[in-house]
Every structure is written in C-alpha cells, then in structure tokens.
Amino acid sequence: VPLLDMLKFYSRFEISDETGDPLTDHDMTQIHYSRITSLQKAAFAKFPDLREFSLANVASVDTREALMKHFGPLSPEKLRAIATYLNLVPPADSEDVEDWLRVDREFLLELLVSRHERRASQLQALNEMPLYPTEEIIWNENIVPSEYFSGEGCLALPKLNLQFLTLHDYLLRNFNLFRLESTYEIRQDIEDAVSRLSPWKAEDGNIFYGGWARMAQPIINFAVVEVAKPNIGEKRPSRVRADVTVNLSVRNEIKAEWENLRKHDVCFLITVRPTFSIGTKYNHREPFVPQVGLTYVRGCEIEGMLDQNGRVIEEGPEPKPQLPGEKRTFRVWLDCNQYCTDMDLASQGKEDVYETFNILMRRKPKENNFKAVLETIRELMNTECVVPDWLHDIILGYGDPGAAHYSRMPNEIETMDFNDTFLDLDHLRASFPDHEIRVQTDDPRKLVPPFKLTFDEVDSKKRAPDSDDTKSSKIITVTPHIIPSRGPYLFNEPKKNAIPFTPTQVEAIRAGMQPGLTLVVGPPGTGKTDVAVQIISNLYHNFPAQRHSL
C-alpha cells in the first residue's frame, strides 16, 4: 500500500506533462475544473441519465464519494461510452477494441473517478502535517525499518536521486527523508530511556518504576492550559500550551540539566501501560512496545520553567532563581496540527491522549534540532522560488553541471581586489603559473600587497565570446594600492593573512569571489576553512554595501 500511494502521488505530481514546468495550486485547480466541467458537458450532451450530475456545481460532485454515487449504478456499456467520448479509451472502430471490450466495469469506474476526483494540495497537506512523530510512525517497520531489517522486501522510502522534478520535489524528498532519519534516532532514545525507567504494573494497578533514567522522568501532573483560536482560514488552533510537572529527586548535576532546558528545546510526552508485574526482566531481543505497554508518544517544545508564582522564567544574563523542593513545572507548546487531529478522534469516542501521559523525555541538545530543520524546509516550500535561474537546473540535476562555474557566467568580473591574499609579488607570480604577470609600477617599494588584479581574458571573452584564442589574453595586470589607515595606533591595524596559499587554493578564492557556484572540497587539514575566511574577507572589501550569506 505505501508503494502504491507513492506511485499515485507522483502520477499526480504538480508538474506539466508537456513542458515540465512546476504548477502552482491555482494551476492544478484550473486543470481539475476543466476536467470535471468537460465531464459534465459530455454527460449533459450525450447521457440524459446523468442530468442531475451535469447541472450540479463542481464542489458538490468532485469528491470520490459523490462521483461513485453518480457513476456507480451505470452499466459497463454506458461507462465505456463515457470514457470513449472523453478519449480515455480507444473508440469502437479501433484495432484494440477487442481488448477494451474485455475491460471490467471496476476498471472503467476507477478510471473515471480517479481522473476527476478532487485532489488535496501537496502544500496544504504538508502544512497540516504534524512535525513530531507519533507511536504509529516510530514503530512502523514499513516507514522506519529497524536495524534488524532483512532487506528482502521493498520499502516505500523516499530516495534522494540525482534528478528531481521540481524544486518542490527536491525539498519534499529532503523533508521526508530527514523526518524519517530523525524518527529512527528518536525511537532509539525512547527505547533506551523508557527501558532504563523499567515501568512495571503494581498490585494496585498503578505504575511502579523499577529504575531511573537520566533523560526521562515520570510525570506527576499534566494539564493543557491554553488552546488559542484558529487563524483565519485554518482549522487548527493557533497555539496550544500545557504544563508538565516532574519530581527531580536526582543528583544535583542531572537536576541542573533538567532545570537548564532552554526555550525551543524539544521533549517527548509518553504514555506507558505496562502489563508485566514487578521484577519481570525485559528481553531486548523482543519487540519493545508490547513489553513496556507503550501507548502514545507526542512531541512538545519547551517555553520555559515556571517560578513559584506560575510565571515562565525568562532567559537572560542574570542567573535563574533557586526554587525550593524537587517539583519542577515546565510550560510547553504542543503541535497544533497533532492536537487538532487528536481532539477530532476524541470527539468521535476515542480516548483523550492528553489525559494519559506519564513520562517526560528529553534529548541531547546537539541531536535535537530536527523540528527546526523541518520547519525551515516547510517554510521554504511555502515561499516563492528564490533560487537563481543559473542554479535552478543544477540543483534539479538537469543541463550542464559546469554551467554555474564563474568562467561560464555572463557577469564575470574583470578587476578584483584580492586584498591581503598574496604575501608578496613572488607569491602572486607563483599562484598563477599559466599567466603573464604585468605590474603598473617599477618601484619595488610600491610592489607590496594589497593587490588589485585585472584579468585580460575576461575582457577578451566579453569582446569576442566565440573566440578560442585565449593564449594572448592570459595576462594579469597587477595594481598595488594603499588601504586607508584606521587609526594612529598599532591595535587599529587589522590582522593580515600570513598563509602562503597554493595555486589551487588561490583558484578557489578567485572562484568564491566571482558570481556563480563554488564548491570547495578536501580532506581535513587542506585549508578549507582558511580559504573560506579569505573569500569572506575579500567579498567584504570588494562589495562592502552588499549582504552575503555562506
């Protein structure tokens, strides 16, 4: 089923089948309306039995249920006639007509319904998706395989191929893959923390914790304290906040770790209902969920710890107040999409998840940035494409991979200030062994860095772009200049580069200063960081009024 869902998803992907251009939600809506109105026109003109369908408004008949209601009672002959009229199957005088006459009724009905049913917007579905994984995803072997996966079957996992349909497809695959990767790590952390707590069923039916865990604590009290009204056009609440109380009767250093939970740190609320009696040992080779009776997992985001007056302790330079006792209450934000889904299920008679939590689990901060990354990718998918045209096709894997090299860019810069990249003129000559170096002055006292370099080959390329004669233009004109003094004292003088960059490193610096895409790759110790620092310094001195991001 997951593989079939993936096939359906890409068969209806938001892309033009003719041009390959990405389609917006508006474009997809227009295509949907044109398809269903053509079906209504065909029904009105040729099939009087469907008069009620053909005169109805689109919104009332474009769901799968409505289409099944109107087309389900029709005979195979009538379904085939409608499909033929819409050119979905060959006409009666076609050579393949015998094959089509044998097509069963269910296929023709599904053909008409799947083509004309209303499809959910990819972006809308993404915006309504919870970012935290739940127990249904975390321990689903089809979605997140365990380390004991045999590899015999085919899993419906998103693949990062070399080519992508659109930028939306590229971001979506990264979103799904990163979400599943972080879910695998979350599963390992939950299994480790909960098994260390060793929840057992006590004789009175309550939970007895036979162990302790550094990263998890039993919840004393949990209460949802605020459910804000939805924003205009949305069903989910705009904000859901809750208070979680735990008893920190642990060593001082572990207690300090819990009290130092920062704003936006992600934690997990867990419900366990153990069936094993006290003293039963866990078997780590057996499935984890049934042994501890794990029922629910929900994510939350820390807003802050509450003080004695019930107010959130704001982060600041001053130290946090010392609270008496061992009980600590944290104010957390819940996932609004997940809360909306859970409340819908609760209104249908299912259990209210938010009255059952009994374990609060935290994670190591360095491994716990998954929600911020997923939020960033989702925000990117909600914005207009900001990738420049010269980079767009390279990211998607089309065209010439070298098309974004600075030498292929139309706006290559002829004269650049290399600032203090070169230690002296000899270093400059050694950095460009294939070029002829010309200096504009013979005074040796002036031939000291900083240098401005003018590449004649760039000028020749702009004057005669189709010419192959580049030998005569392999000339670099060097112009020394003086940087205005920042002040009369020695500490006012900026630090200067002292690294004798190799010709390859100088080429990387030149590429990084020019328009286009530059990728600096190398094993540890090859000077990547020094090259990056020099590029940033040179960019700032060449374009001090521009903003740059690396």
Side-chain angles (χ1 to χ4, degrees):
V1 173
L3 285 169
L4 180 61
D5 290 340
M6 190 177 282
L7 176 62
K8 282 183 180 178
F9 176 80
Y10 277 106
S11 67
R12 300 176 179 183
F13 197 80
E14 297 171 343
I15 188 172
S16 170
D17 294 334
E18 289 80 22
T19 63
D21 295 329
L23 299 175
T24 62
D25 280 350
H26 177 73
D27 296 332
M28 296 301 292
T29 304
Q30 290 298 109
I31 292 171
H32 168 65
Y33 271 74
S34 64
R35 281 181 177 176
I36 201 158
T37 49
S38 66
L39 177 63
Q40 286 183 305
K41 289 176 183 176
F44 183 82
K46 298 290 183 182
F47 309 100
D49 298 350
L50 294 171
R51 186 59 52 88
E52 182 185 347
F53 167 78
S54 58
L55 295 177
N57 65 306
V58 171
S60 65
V61 294
D62 64 351
T63 62
R64 173 169 281 269
E65 293 75 18
L67 290 168
M68 282 290 188
K69 175 186 170 185
H70 286 287
F71 290 93
L74 299 181
S75 64
E77 291 75 19
K78 198 161 280 187
L79 289 172
R80 190 178 293 112
I82 296 171
T84 304
Y85 186 80
L86 294 171
N87 294 321
L88 299 179
V89 297
D93 55 352
S94 171
E95 295 177 0
D96 302 328
V97 70
E98 291 185 6
D99 295 334
W100 281 106
L101 286 173
R102 289 194 295 270
V103 170
D104 58 357
R105 180 179 175 282
E106 285 73 16
F107 174 80
L108 290 167
L109 184 62
E110 182 62 31
L111 179 66
L112 289 170
V113 171
S114 62
R115 179 175 172 80
H116 298 99
E117 69 176 325
R118 184 196 312 156
R119 59 178 298 283
S121 161
Q122 292 179 13
L123 204 55
Q124 184 182 351
L126 190 76
N127 290 334
E128 293 176 356
M129 176 191 296
L131 293 177
Y132 301 108
T134 65
E135 72 284 347
E136 295 177 356
I137 296 173
I138 295 176
W139 284 277
N140 186 334
E141 286 290 324
N142 290 322
I143 300 176
V144 187
S146 68
E147 57 183 321
Y148 303 111
F149 174 64
S150 62
E152 292 178 0
C154 182
L155 297 175
L157 297 177
K159 311 295 191 298
L160 279 184
N161 299 335
L162 297 177
Q163 287 189 336
F164 304 92
L165 294 174
T166 61
L167 192 65
H168 180 92
D169 181 35
Y170 172 77
L171 292 172
L172 188 64
R173 289 200 216 180
N174 278 279
F175 180 91
N176 288 330
L177 201 63
F178 184 80
R179 183 165 172 258
L180 296 181
E181 186 180 345
S182 58
T183 301
Y184 179 78
E185 295 171 357
I186 289 166
R187 177 170 70 186
Q188 291 180 315
D189 288 346
I190 292 176
E191 291 184 358
D192 178 67
V194 174
S195 60
R196 287 177 186 274
L197 276 176
S198 300
W200 289 317
K201 185 177 181 180
E203 293 178 358
D204 59 357
N206 293 325
I207 301 175
F208 174 78
Y209 296 97
W212 72 278
R214 187 186 194 115
M215 309 303 285
Q217 288 292 326
I219 293 176
I220 297 173
N221 185 49
F222 179 88
V224 176
V225 296
E226 181 192 15
V227 180
K229 291 181 179 179
N231 295 326
I232 295 174
E234 295 180 353
K235 293 187 299 181
R236 64 182 182 183
S238 57
R239 183 176 65 247
V240 182
R241 299 199 295 175
D243 286 351
V244 190
T245 304
V246 294
N247 189 7
L248 298 178
S249 56
V250 290
R251 295 198 307 266
N252 288 335
E253 61 269 23
I254 300 175
K255 186 177 182 180
E257 288 177 6
W258 281 94
E259 291 180 340
N260 288 330
L261 278 173
R262 300 178 61 187
K263 192 174 185 177
H264 302 299
D265 279 349
V266 171
C267 293
F268 285 89
L269 303 160
I270 302 168
T271 301
V272 293
R273 289 171 179 156
T275 56
F276 289 1
S277 58
I278 295 175
T280 308
K281 290 188 176 180
Y282 290 107
N283 186 349
H284 294 288
R285 296 182 179 274
E286 295 295 322
F288 168 79
V289 173
Q291 293 191 78
V292 299
L294 191 140
T295 313
Y296 302 116
V297 174
R298 296 291 182 270
C300 64
E301 188 175 334
I302 297 288
E303 182 182 353
M305 192 169 67
L306 302 186
D307 60 15
Q308 290 172 293
N309 300 318
R311 290 192 295 263
V312 174
I313 301 171
E314 297 293 337
E315 293 184 5
E318 65 278 354
K320 288 187 177 181
Q322 295 291 326
L323 300 180
E326 295 179 339
K327 285 187 180 180
R328 298 291 181 268
T329 301
F330 297 95
R331 178 71 49 81
V332 298
W333 291 300
L334 302 176
D335 190 294
C336 300
N337 286 325
Q338 187 66 58
Y339 185 82
C340 184
T341 303
D342 290 333
M343 288 300 102
D344 288 344
L345 293 173
S347 65
Q348 298 169 16
K350 298 285 182 68
E351 184 178 28
D352 185 352
V353 177
Y354 299 92
E355 293 180 356
T356 65
F357 298 130
N358 45 34
I359 294 176
L360 175 66
M361 190 197 84
R362 62 188 175 93
R363 300 181 69 215
K364 294 177 182 176
K366 290 183 179 179
E367 304 166 0
N368 204 25
N369 67 339
F370 72 97
K371 181 176 181 284
V373 174
L374 294 176
E375 272 184 337
T376 303
I377 297 175
R378 189 162 71 177
E379 286 173 13
L380 273 175
M381 296 172 78
N382 278 281
T383 57
E384 291 295 323
C385 179
V386 292
V387 178
D389 293 337
W390 51 267
L391 188 58
H392 186 269
D393 287 352
I394 291 175
I395 287 180
L396 299 186
Y398 299 108
D400 182 6
H405 192 261
Y406 73 89
S407 61
R408 309 275 287 276
M409 300 297 292
N411 55 345
E412 186 181 352
I413 302 170
E414 185 178 354
T415 301
M416 300 285 290
D417 182 3
F418 275 75
N419 198 27
D420 58 352
T421 303
F422 307 106
L423 304 181
D424 49 39
L425 192 61
D426 291 336
H427 181 209
L428 191 154
R429 294 182 192 277
S431 299
F432 296 98
D434 298 334
H435 288 72
E436 179 188 344
I437 307 298
R438 295 179 181 176
V439 293
Q440 290 193 329
T441 177
D442 295 330
D443 188 349
R445 291 174 300 173
K446 294 183 179 180
L447 292 177
V448 292
F451 295 124
K452 281 185 181 177
L453 271 58
T454 302
F455 296 86
D456 288 6
E457 59 203 73
V458 179
D459 183 49
S460 304
K461 200 187 304 177
K462 289 180 179 178
R463 283 189 278 105
D466 298 329
S467 173
D468 293 332
D469 187 19
T470 56
K471 271 194 174 180
S472 59
S473 60
K474 287 266 186 181
I475 300 170
I476 298 175
T477 305
V478 180
T479 308
H481 66 99
I482 299 172
I483 299 176
S485 176
R486 294 185 181 181
Y489 304 106
L490 288 175
F491 64 81
N492 292 130
E493 287 296 314
K495 289 183 178 180
K496 292 184 179 179
N497 168 50
I499 299 171
F501 293 112
T502 65
T504 306
Q505 290 173 326
V506 169
E507 174 61 21
I509 294 169
R510 179 187 176 188
M513 294 166 63
Q514 293 279 359
L517 179 67
T518 301
L519 179 65
V520 181
V521 183
T526 51
K528 297 186 296 298
T529 306
D530 294 317
V531 166
V533 168
Q534 193 64 44
I535 290 172
I536 295 168
S537 172
N538 290 358
L539 282 173
Y540 172 73
H541 285 91
N542 279 270
F543 313 101
Q546 290 187 17
R547 292 177 61 189
H548 299 279
S549 59
L550 286 174

